[in-house]
Amino acid sequence: MPQLKELLTTADESLIKSLSAQAREVADSVYGKKVFIRGLIEISSHCKNDCLYCGLRRSQKSAVRYRLTDEQILDCCEKGYRLGFRTFVMQGGEDAWFDDERMVRIVSEVRRRYPDCAITLSLGERSDESYRRLFDAGANRYLLRHETADKEHYEKLHPADMSFDNRMHCLETLKRIGYQVGCGFMVGSPFQTVETLYKDLQFIRSFQPHMVGIGPFIPAHDTPFANQPQGSVGTTLRLLSIIRLLHPHVLLPATTALGTLHPMGRERGILAGANVVMPNLSPTEHRKDYAIYDNKICTGDEAAECRNCTEYRMRAIGYETVVSRGDYKS
Ligand code: SAH
């Protein structure tokens, strides 16, 4: 814990450089000079939850709500496949319209059409049975950030009808079923402290997720946290490095939120030890409406532009994006 505090607060540039260099070396030794790409499809901006930080919370009157049809989702996959994506990530708010029947139908169809691709879901908390049915239909991975490993902190970020224990239960269930599981948290979320971050790292060490998604907290207008300070890019980079060193094989994305706060955020994330990027495959007309935070980047781009831009950016720092499922290496 004192060591973590030192790493997160030191102004000693040489210490930070060596942390980042060590993390990059470890990532290179496991995954090489390669970056895995995931095609992100944002399937719904409807949400029944009221997370205090999120621009798509149910009380957000100004949010524009949309849902993709089965055909739109399949079109995104088709486009994505042609662009070289071999992982599709379907993410959305907790939207009852995407019930098990509908999701099983969609996942089965994507599985049937693309037997060589990984299917990742990020649809929040569902029942054990739902997770099981979606896995049986062909989903391989599930992203569900734990948001914070400190129960009291969790309760300050979420309304009373959401529970830390259920979040943890979902993560355990997903793992038991056989998904490659991703947890994660926002860096600089309101009320976060070195103590809560320490618990996050301990949780990562004990849970041994296959993926860890972290990005800076970015305030969303009209939410209870609209006037809270944004997370720090520097702290996010330090934490990426620390997570890489704690868990050398983990799949670690350089997130869009990091790219939103700094024009070279994703590149810097890779150089600090990340090895995944998730370009957007969502239909351009809905991009701006998946507004979990303000000023999100790439909302006007076509899928192909995002794909090319990613490739170009990674090449510029000496990394190749690869056409493969990019599974966890055990
Ligand atoms: N409903 C899904 C997907 C949520 S969006 C789920 O519950 O898993 C994915 C992630 O975006 C969230 O887990 C959260 O960590 C992050 N996020 C939400 N609001 C944010 C904000 N204002 N700034 C940065 N990240 C945010």
Side-chain angles (χ1 to χ4, degrees):
M1 194 37 203
Q3 205 190 351
L4 176 64
K5 188 164 188 180
E6 167 72 8
L7 287 176
L8 293 181
T9 55
T10 183
D12 180 347
E13 283 297 326
S14 65
L15 182 59
I16 296 314
K17 275 215 179 100
S18 103
L19 172 70
S20 168
Q22 279 180 56
R24 190 57 257 165
E25 215 167 282
V26 167
D28 285 353
S29 74
V30 180
Y31 291 103
K33 293 226 167 251
K34 295 191 163 49
V35 169
F36 295 143
I37 53 170
R38 322 296 196 196
L40 181 64
I41 308 169
E42 296 154 334
I43 68 172
S44 174
S45 68
H46 290 259
C47 193
K48 72 171 169 58
N49 286 336
D50 219 18
C51 306
L52 276 69
Y53 45 82
C54 184
L56 294 179
R57 65 201 299 267
R58 69 162 181 266
S59 319
Q60 189 80 339
K61 294 287 175 299
S62 58
V64 178
R65 310 290 178 174
Y66 72 89
R67 294 179 175 116
L68 300 189
T69 62
D70 292 25
E71 291 67 36
Q72 283 176 307
I73 295 170
L74 291 166
D75 282 351
C76 290
C77 293
E78 192 190 322
K79 216 177 253 176
Y81 192 87
R82 272 192 266 117
L83 292 169
F85 289 100
R86 296 294 177 268
T87 293
F88 303 120
V89 182
M90 296 179 226
Q91 186 178 79
E94 291 193 20
D95 179 2
W97 197 76
F98 284 98
D99 59 8
D100 291 349
E101 195 190 326
R102 189 180 306 270
M103 271 323 297
V104 163
R105 186 176 75 215
I106 294 168
V107 169
S108 309
E109 186 57 21
V110 176
R111 173 52 60 236
R112 189 185 71 75
R113 294 191 189 185
Y114 306 102
D116 55 335
C117 291
I119 300 174
T120 304
L121 300 176
S122 179
L123 303 170
E125 296 174 23
R126 301 175 76 99
S127 67
D128 294 12
E129 193 208 334
S130 172
Y131 289 147
R132 158 64 60 192
R133 289 180 63 188
L134 294 168
F135 185 81
D136 291 342
N140 312 98
R141 307 187 187 135
Y142 206 101
L143 306 178
L144 182 70
R145 291 187 177 181
H146 63 287
E147 310 296 357
T148 170
D150 180 286
K151 189 173 169 137
E152 272 172 43
H153 184 207
Y154 189 91
E155 289 167 0
K156 291 180 186 164
L157 299 178
H158 300 95
D161 62 359
M162 287 180 73
S163 114
F164 175 77
D165 294 338
N166 193 52
R167 197 83 174 173
M168 290 294 162
H169 169 81
C170 287
L171 284 165
E172 294 292 347
T173 303
L174 288 162
K175 203 160 189 207
R176 185 161 32 77
I177 291 172
Y179 284 94
Q180 293 184 35
V181 182
C183 65
F185 57 91
M186 294 175 285
V187 177
S189 63
F191 314 108
Q192 186 173 70
T193 61
V194 178
E195 286 75 21
T196 65
L197 284 169
Y198 186 70
K199 286 192 184 174
D200 289 321
L201 299 178
Q202 279 183 316
F203 172 67
I204 289 167
R205 194 147 64 175
S206 63
F207 184 62
Q208 291 286 305
H210 303 87
M211 295 164 271
V212 175
I214 69 164
F217 162 72
I218 305 174
H221 67 275
D222 295 343
T223 61
F225 293 159
N227 298 316
Q228 295 284 328
Q230 65 187 29
S232 138
V233 171
T235 309
T236 307
L237 295 171
R238 292 178 196 200
L239 282 161
L240 284 171
S241 300
I242 293 167
I243 293 167
R244 171 63 64 204
L245 293 172
L246 275 180
H247 191 358
H249 290 243
V250 76
L251 296 163
L252 195 58
T255 54
T256 305
L258 192 54
T260 295
L261 291 193
H262 191 285
M264 298 282 282
R266 285 163 297 175
E267 289 90 328
R268 291 179 66 186
I270 297 297
L271 294 172
N275 72 320
V276 174
V277 280
M278 298 171 62
N280 206 313
L281 273 182
S282 307
T284 312
E285 74 259 35
H286 293 299
R287 293 262 185 113
K288 64 176 184 329
D289 298 327
Y290 195 76
I292 53 183
Y293 50 78
D294 293 348
N295 307 313
K296 195 167 151 224
I297 50 170
C298 312
T299 54
D301 299 346
E302 287 289 341
E305 292 174 76
C306 286
R307 172 70 178 93
N308 291 337
C309 169
T310 304
E311 171 131 11
Y312 173 82
R313 284 170 176 269
M314 295 302 120
R315 245 192 217 147
I317 57 166
Y319 284 79
E320 284 301 319
T321 56
V322 288
V323 178
S324 88
R325 281 172 48 124
D327 283 301
Y328 178 82
K329 249 195 195 173
S330 53

